[in-house]
Amino acid sequence: MAFGEKYTGDLRYGGWKLLLVVVSAVSMFLFYMWFYVRVLGLDLPKTAILKRQNAAWNTRIDQMSTRLDRYDELLSLLEVRDDRIYRSVYGLDPIPQAVRQSGFGGENRYAALEGTALLEAVHRLDVLEKRAYVQSKSFEDVWALQQTAGDLAAHIPAIPPMNTDPFTYRLSSPFGYRSDPILGIGKRHTGMDFACPPGNPIYVTGDGTVITVKHDRSGYGNHVEVDHGFGYLTRYAHMSRIDVEEGQKVKRGDCLGLSGKSGRITGPHLHYEVIYRKDYVNPAFYMDLTIEPDAYFEMVRKPLH
C-alpha cells in the first residue's frame, strides 16, 4: 500500500471516529436533557433563572397590588367624607362616581402590556391617579368656599319669615303630606303656611340675592325667591306687595314686602319654602317660632311705609 493511500485511509477512519464521538456526545446530551427534564422534572438552567426572575417580579407586583388596595381604601374614605361632609356643608353637589372612576380615552395605552401581569396593576394605578386628581380639585373648590365660611351662618335661612307673636298668625299647614285644600287629594306640601291677615311684613330669613320677583294670578301668586348661596334657596308666596327687585342683595331681616292672598289660595297666608340643593326641606328645622317678638324685632328691619 502506498503512503498516500494509507494516509487517506487513516484520515477517513479518524473522521468517522470523530463523527461517532460527536454523535455520541450529542445523544448523551439529549438523553441527559430528556432525563433531567422529563424524568427528574427539573428545569433547564436558563428556564430556572427566568422562573426565578418571574417569581421576583410577581412578588413585586403582589406587593404593589397590596399597596394599591390600601391607597384605594384611603382614597375611598376621603371621597365619601368629601361628598357627605365637606361638599355638603358648603352646598356643593357630590361628585358623580362616573367622574371619579372615569378612565382614559384615546388609543389603547396598555397595548404593550397585554397578556402580562403588569396590565391590571398599571391600569389600577392610572385610575387611582385620576381619582386623586379629581379629589384634589374638589378640595380646591371646598377651600375656596371655606374662605367665605364666616358668611355661612349669615346666609343660612335661620329665622322665621314673619313676626313670631302668636296673636298675629296661625300655622295653618306644616311641611309634609296633606289633603290638598282645593283638590281634596293627598299631596306633598312643600313649605309652611302662616295664616294671617293681608299686610303682615315678610322678612328674608338669611343673607342672599333676590333671583325671582313674579306677579301671578295662579300658583304661588305674587312671590319672591332668594338665593342664599351654599345650596340654599327660599320662596315667599301669595304676597300682596313686593318691595324688592331681582338682583337685589338682601340681608337677613330685610323686609321683602307684605303678606296677602294672591295666586291659588283659599285664604290669606304666607307660604314659605326652604330648598336645599334642589330639594324641599322642612322649614321648621331652620327656625324657632318660640322666640319672643321683642327679640325677633331686634333681628329684622321694619318695612318702610
Side-chain angles (χ1 to χ4, degrees):
M1 179 182 297
F3 175 78
E5 293 177 356
K6 183 177 183 303
Y7 178 80
T8 301
D10 292 342
L11 184 60
R12 289 176 179 174
Y13 175 75
W16 282 106
K17 186 176 182 180
L18 177 61
L19 179 61
L20 181 61
V21 170
V22 171
V23 171
S24 299
V26 170
S27 299
M28 289 297 295
F29 176 77
L30 293 176
F31 175 79
Y32 168 78
M33 297 300 295
W34 174 83
F35 185 81
Y36 190 84
V37 174
R38 295 295 184 179
V39 178
L40 299 181
L42 302 176
D43 293 323
L44 297 176
K46 186 175 182 179
T47 303
I49 293 174
L50 291 175
K51 283 189 173 181
R52 285 197 298 270
Q53 292 177 344
N54 186 62
W57 277 109
N58 284 334
T59 300
R60 294 179 183 178
I61 293 173
D62 289 341
Q63 291 174 345
M64 181 188 300
S65 296
T66 301
R67 295 177 67 180
L68 289 175
D69 288 340
R70 179 57 178 163
Y71 295 153
D72 184 277
E73 180 182 356
L74 292 174
L75 186 54
S76 296
L77 290 174
L78 285 176
E79 290 170 343
V80 170
R81 183 174 298 179
D82 182 40
D83 283 339
R84 296 184 181 179
I85 301 177
Y86 305 141
R87 298 183 68 85
S88 178
V89 164
Y90 295 107
L92 295 172
D93 292 330
I95 298 176
Q97 284 301 308
V99 174
R100 291 189 182 275
Q101 301 286 349
S102 61
F104 298 85
E107 63 185 42
N108 186 2
R109 58 190 289 128
Y110 309 110
L113 298 176
E114 291 291 346
T116 69
L118 277 174
L119 177 60
E120 181 181 357
V122 172
H123 179 262
R124 289 187 62 193
L125 185 61
D126 283 345
V127 172
L128 282 175
E129 183 180 2
K130 175 67 178 296
R131 287 171 59 190
Y133 173 76
V134 172
Q135 186 57 59
S136 68
K137 299 300 291 184
S138 176
F139 281 151
E140 288 179 8
D141 293 340
V142 172
W143 172 258
L145 285 176
Q146 192 272 338
Q147 302 307 301
T148 60
D151 299 332
L152 177 60
H155 283 260
I156 293 177
I159 67 171
M162 60 188 307
N163 181 9
T164 56
D165 186 342
F167 295 102
T168 62
Y169 79 96
R170 177 176 60 87
L171 186 60
S172 58
S173 184
F175 178 88
Y177 284 91
R178 65 170 186 175
S179 177
D180 188 280
I182 296 178
L183 300 177
I185 59 175
K187 189 177 181 181
R188 186 189 186 199
H189 188 230
T190 55
M192 293 175 64
D193 288 348
F194 296 81
C196 60
N200 272 22
I202 298 173
Y203 303 98
V204 66
T205 56
D207 295 2
T209 302
V210 177
I211 59 171
T212 301
V213 171
K214 190 170 184 179
H215 301 273
D216 200 344
R217 294 184 178 181
S218 62
Y220 288 117
N222 303 329
H223 64 279
V224 174
E225 294 177 2
V226 178
D227 185 351
H228 301 275
F230 303 101
Y232 288 98
L233 184 147
T234 53
R235 181 180 289 126
Y236 313 78
H238 309 306
M239 300 170 67
S240 62
R241 190 181 84 191
I242 297 176
D243 295 334
V244 292
E245 57 186 22
E246 291 183 2
Q248 181 177 337
K249 301 291 184 182
V250 289
K251 294 288 187 180
R252 176 182 291 155
D254 285 347
C255 184
L256 299 175
L258 304 178
S259 66
K261 54 180 181 179
S262 60
R264 181 176 174 272
I265 196 172
T266 57
H269 71 274
L270 166 67
H271 175 80
Y272 172 64
E273 295 177 348
V274 176
I275 303 168
Y276 178 59
R277 291 168 59 181
K278 302 178 182 180
D279 189 25
Y280 294 99
V281 294
N282 191 344
F285 295 155
Y286 294 87
M287 68 176 75
D288 180 9
L289 290 173
T290 65
I291 187 173
E292 293 294 331
D294 291 342
Y296 179 77
F297 278 115
E298 290 180 0
M299 297 186 294
V300 301
R301 298 163 181 81
K302 293 184 179 181
L304 298 175
H305 297 287

